[in-house]
Amino acid sequence: MTIYKRIRELLDYAEQNGLIEKEDRIYSRNLLLDALKLGDWEETRPDADATIEEILADICDYAFENGIIPDNGVTNRDLFDTRIMGLLTPRPSEVIRKFRALYAESPVKATDWYYAFSRATDYIRTYRVKNDLRWKAPSVYGDIDITINLSKPEKDPKAIAAAKSLPQSSYPKCALCADTEGFAGNLRAAARQSHRIIPITVADEAWYLQYSPYVYYNEHCIALSGAHVPMKIERDTFRRLLDFEEILPHYFIGSNADLPIVGGSILSHNHFQGGHYTFAMETAPMEAEFTFAGYEDIKAGIVKWPLSVIRISGKDKEKLTDLADKILVAWRSYTDADAFVYAETDGEPHNTITPIARRRGDDFELDLVLRNNITTEEHPLGVYHPHAELHNIKKENIGLIEVMGLAVLPARLKGEMAILEEVILAGKDPADDARVAAHADWYARFKDHYEFTAENTAEILRTEIGKTFVRVLEDAGVYKCTERGRQDFMKFIDTVGKA
């Protein structure tokens, strides 16, 4: 490998993927030579089969070996290869023009191109995403998606230590601010030179569209507010979600809740997540249907789902917004001690909603998931949160994506399940192995249900992970899928004003 060969291959890749035109090659080559501190150029024969992963890996190796980056850890390599790709990424105005031209033909054409573009720039590192483990888990609620996320790199220890010495900065304010577009990044914040966002107007407000770099599902997009304002579920939330559905009707869109424990990982910046994917919750049927007084033209009902979901649908966006807001206002202040639902304790609010919008034919549809973040001594992380006996599989918050039926499980599980498989097949007790002792009680609950062999143990563990995640969702449901739970659910619905 020569560095000149890799530069030539990178230029070929950029031209083939529409990042540069033929007329841009010399200009782009000189930008790359400057970034790599090269004062010469050599023509070489490229490898036509070279992948972007291989090309960038060798360029980063060269940068480290020649003192251009300070260490060879994943953080500094990611900062540098993003800088390199940023040199080949069209300016924002060009990207916006292209998107809008395609949108005039079809919203689907526009998002198809934009998604392919976001992968071509390596903003979405496809070669990392493909390492994620994915499978379906059958359940009484439908086929649940299980993923073990391996595409988000963990910071290396050197970078973590070095970040402590960086001066404090409030720019950009957070990872979801529009100010990140083109940002060089540092040991605390990811580089975004190859990142391009699309301005959109949602409910008369300035918002932006982008994709998640970790794409937990197909065309996993993020709609973010142009203003750095906190997450807040309110009447305008429903207006924005339904407005988005007019802009990109082939995408669903939803919001995390606005309270800790039941909210997402970023509560400081108002944003939604959407995409082109059908989750199990979307295909779940209604188990009870009714109408609300004054909204007889709006279909309503309870969804057969482990969390507590009210589904409303109709053609009139304004009426849907009114009804969703009425349900939200009622839920915010609702207390039913017998059902262990408290609107607040000691002045701290507990009730909120995780809303999801989609189009179903000509109708607009809203799923309103009732959430409550109350804690107790027995459940210090949340009563309606995965309970302690499930924490070996899932301890983190149950946010929007998981509410809809897609588990985003920690990367540690890949290695731990491989070790647990070895321990089981060796006839040993997991409790005696510190590496998997946390899974001992979990394993004990199902070990007598199976005959373990070298051929089936890995699949059994996957099956049990799936069953465990279904229990996680059931723990997160305020009203359980029992006769008593459904009675309590209807008791709340009656307070809203059932016809």
Side-chain angles (χ1 to χ4, degrees):
M1 190 280 297
T2 70
I3 188 62
Y4 300 108
K5 178 184 175 184
R6 286 312 198 199
I7 292 173
R8 166 72 187 273
E9 290 163 352
L10 185 56
L11 291 167
D12 289 347
Y13 170 89
E15 187 175 346
Q16 290 161 9
N17 284 275
L19 303 181
I20 63 171
E21 303 288 340
K22 182 180 179 181
E23 296 80 5
D24 299 323
R25 283 188 72 103
I26 294 173
Y27 170 81
S28 300
R29 178 209 302 161
N30 285 329
L31 292 177
L32 295 173
L33 291 174
D34 178 59
L36 290 162
K37 303 189 184 304
L38 291 165
D40 205 352
W41 174 246
E42 295 177 13
E43 287 293 347
T44 59
R45 178 174 293 179
D47 177 357
D49 297 325
T51 66
I52 188 63
E53 180 181 14
E54 294 166 341
I55 294 167
L56 292 175
D58 283 343
I59 287 175
C60 285
D61 287 344
Y62 176 88
F64 172 64
E65 290 161 6
N66 288 271
I68 298 170
I69 57 177
D71 66 59
N72 209 24
V74 65
T75 304
N76 274 299
R77 289 175 71 91
D78 281 3
L79 289 169
F80 188 74
D81 68 14
T82 304
R83 177 187 170 197
I84 291 295
M85 290 306 299
L87 298 175
L88 302 171
T89 302
R91 289 179 179 270
S93 57
E94 298 173 57
V95 176
I96 294 165
R97 270 197 304 272
K98 176 77 171 178
F99 182 90
R100 288 177 174 168
L102 289 170
Y103 185 86
E105 297 179 40
S106 156
V108 175
K109 278 188 180 180
T111 55
D112 282 353
W113 171 80
Y114 183 42
Y115 188 57
F117 169 83
S118 299
R119 287 178 292 171
T121 63
D122 207 42
Y123 166 70
I124 297 172
R125 297 175 185 260
T126 308
Y127 45 87
R128 285 185 183 165
V129 174
K130 72 181 181 183
N131 293 327
D132 291 350
L133 302 181
R134 301 173 184 271
W135 69 94
K136 296 276 188 180
S139 80
V140 295
Y141 309 105
D143 288 343
I144 306 297
D145 290 297
I146 308 295
T147 69
I148 294 179
N149 184 258
L150 304 171
S151 57
K152 190 172 184 178
E154 295 183 12
K155 293 220 172 184
D156 53 85
K158 284 185 180 179
I160 293 170
K164 292 179 181 176
S165 63
L166 286 180
Q168 292 296 318
S169 172
S170 59
Y171 180 84
K173 289 186 175 72
C174 77
L176 290 178
C177 282
D179 292 339
T180 61
E181 186 176 37
F183 184 61
N186 52 50
L187 296 178
R188 287 201 195 102
R192 288 289 183 258
Q193 289 103 321
S194 60
H195 181 41
R196 299 293 180 266
I197 58 179
I198 305 295
I200 56 176
T201 301
V202 178
D204 301 319
E205 298 170 348
W207 282 61
Y208 294 90
L209 178 71
Q210 67 174 63
Y211 287 105
S212 164
Y214 308 116
V215 286
Y216 293 140
Y217 49 84
N218 185 50
E219 296 179 49
H220 178 181
C221 74
I222 300 172
L224 53 99
S225 171
H228 181 74
V229 294
M231 297 287 290
K232 185 178 181 183
I233 304 299
E234 57 185 345
R235 177 189 172 83
D236 281 345
T237 303
F238 308 124
R239 287 186 61 232
R240 294 172 188 128
L241 292 173
L242 293 171
D243 210 30
F244 184 94
E245 284 303 302
E246 285 206 307
I247 298 168
L248 297 177
H250 58 298
Y251 277 11
F252 80 88
I253 192 76
S255 175
N256 266 306
D258 54 357
L259 294 179
I261 298 177
V262 295
S265 57
I266 300 179
L267 295 176
S268 60
H269 193 119
N270 202 13
H271 69 285
F272 305 144
Q273 295 182 77
H276 203 184
Y277 190 71
T278 301
F279 290 85
M281 191 172 84
E282 179 178 341
T283 60
M286 299 265 234
E287 64 177 46
E289 296 189 33
F290 43 81
T291 55
F292 289 97
Y295 301 90
E296 285 76 12
D297 53 341
I298 301 294
K299 297 177 188 173
I302 293 174
V303 179
K304 184 183 177 182
W305 193 245
L307 285 95
S308 307
V309 186
I310 300 171
R311 177 170 291 166
I312 58 175
S313 62
K315 292 180 171 55
D316 189 327
K317 286 197 309 175
E318 196 62 30
K319 272 201 167 182
L320 279 172
T321 299
D322 285 346
L323 179 53
D325 185 51
K326 185 174 183 176
I327 293 168
L328 172 66
V329 170
W331 180 242
R332 288 280 196 197
S333 61
Y334 185 73
T335 290
D336 179 355
D338 291 338
F340 206 78
V341 173
Y342 293 91
E344 58 87 22
T345 54
D346 299 325
E348 179 188 349
H350 296 306
N351 290 348
T352 186
I353 280 177
T354 299
I356 301 105
R358 65 181 73 89
R359 297 295 288 272
R360 203 180 286 269
D362 293 332
D363 285 354
F364 295 91
E365 185 170 273
L366 279 173
D367 281 351
L368 307 174
V369 188
L370 307 183
R371 312 298 302 275
N372 180 288
N373 75 346
I374 194 168
T375 61
T376 62
E377 286 187 14
E378 183 184 0
H379 301 294
L381 296 183
V383 172
Y384 305 110
H385 178 86
H387 291 176
E389 68 270 20
L390 310 179
H391 287 179
N392 63 307
I393 300 299
K394 179 69 178 179
K395 185 178 182 178
E396 299 78 15
N397 291 357
I398 303 305
L400 170 69
I401 294 170
E402 281 148 332
V403 161
M404 295 185 292
L406 189 152
V408 181
L409 302 180
R412 62 175 172 80
L413 285 178
K414 180 184 179 182
E416 290 172 3
M417 289 302 114
I419 296 167
L420 184 58
E421 181 182 0
E422 292 174 8
V423 169
I424 291 169
L425 291 175
K428 297 178 180 176
D429 185 347
D432 296 331
D433 189 320
R435 299 172 298 172
V436 291
H439 298 293
D441 289 344
W442 177 71
Y443 167 65
R445 291 197 289 271
F446 62 78
K447 68 176 182 177
D448 294 336
H449 301 162
Y450 301 98
E451 292 289 336
F452 293 91
T453 68
E455 290 73 32
N456 71 8
T457 300
E459 187 58 33
I460 289 170
L461 293 176
R462 284 189 171 205
T463 297
E464 290 298 327
I465 287 173
K467 290 179 180 179
T468 301
F469 183 69
V470 171
R471 284 195 57 202
V472 162
L473 294 180
E474 290 172 338
D475 281 353
V478 176
Y479 296 116
K480 307 308 177 189
C481 297
T482 62
E483 184 178 352
R484 168 66 189 275
R486 279 350 198 195
Q487 287 173 354
D488 288 338
F489 200 165
M490 289 304 298
K491 187 177 171 184
F492 164 67
I493 288 167
D494 286 340
T495 69
V496 180
K498 189 159 63 73

